[in-house]
Amino acid sequence: MHTKLALNQLIASLTHAFSLSLQLVQAAGVERESFLALLRGSALHAPTFDKKLPRMVAGDYANPNFPTAHLRKDLNLFLQAAQRQGLHTEGLAGLAALLERAAGSPLDGLDYSALHELTGPCWEAERSGA
């Protein structure tokens, strides 16, 4: 169980970090492919980035292999287990709060890469109907 939670925490953290970086470079007008070429040539690249990139670019998170709701649940279980072990989990608090925003929304049933929608500047406005 702890191994599964540890791996799913990495999925959440990697997806979040990649999404934030992608959102920033795109908002700054950096050519996405230039950024990706640098990333792919570095030790920072993870294969999951290329796997989830088409979903993030298209905003198409249908047919999930792992839904956002499950990622949120497992991240919360990871946090509880880590805290019981006396680990300092403050760095994940923001990610847990971000995933909590999807609770009860259509994103919950979509692929976890829909986390990309949560990192964008428009999520709260779209959700509130503004």
Side-chain angles (χ1 to χ4, degrees):
M1 165 105 160
H2 286 92
T3 301
K4 176 185 181 264
L5 294 177
L7 289 172
N8 286 350
Q9 180 277 138
L10 284 171
I11 289 170
S13 293
L14 284 171
T15 303
H16 181 237
F18 179 60
S19 175
L20 277 175
S21 292
L22 193 59
Q23 294 276 16
L24 178 69
V25 297
Q26 290 182 154
V30 174
E31 183 66 37
R32 182 174 56 236
E33 283 307 314
S34 296
F35 166 71
L36 291 170
L38 288 171
L39 177 61
R40 288 179 182 124
S42 77
L44 301 173
H45 182 257
T48 190
F49 298 159
D50 288 317
K51 182 180 177 186
K52 297 301 179 178
L53 179 64
R55 287 181 177 268
M56 291 175 168
V57 170
D60 181 4
Y61 310 104
N63 303 313
N65 67 326
F66 194 69
T68 304
H70 293 180
L71 188 65
R72 181 179 59 255
K73 174 190 62 80
D74 281 0
L75 182 61
N76 286 330
L77 289 172
F78 173 89
L79 288 168
Q80 292 168 13
Q83 289 164 357
R84 282 193 300 273
Q85 297 299 322
L87 303 176
H88 297 278
T89 60
E90 297 89 350
L92 291 176
L95 178 52
L98 190 68
L99 285 167
E100 194 59 41
R101 292 181 188 170
S105 80
L107 296 182
D108 251 0
L110 300 176
D111 188 81
Y112 70 84
S113 57
L115 173 58
H116 189 60
E117 298 300 315
L118 297 170
T119 64
C122 300
W123 169 251
E124 290 300 322
E126 288 175 13
R127 187 162 185 200
S128 67

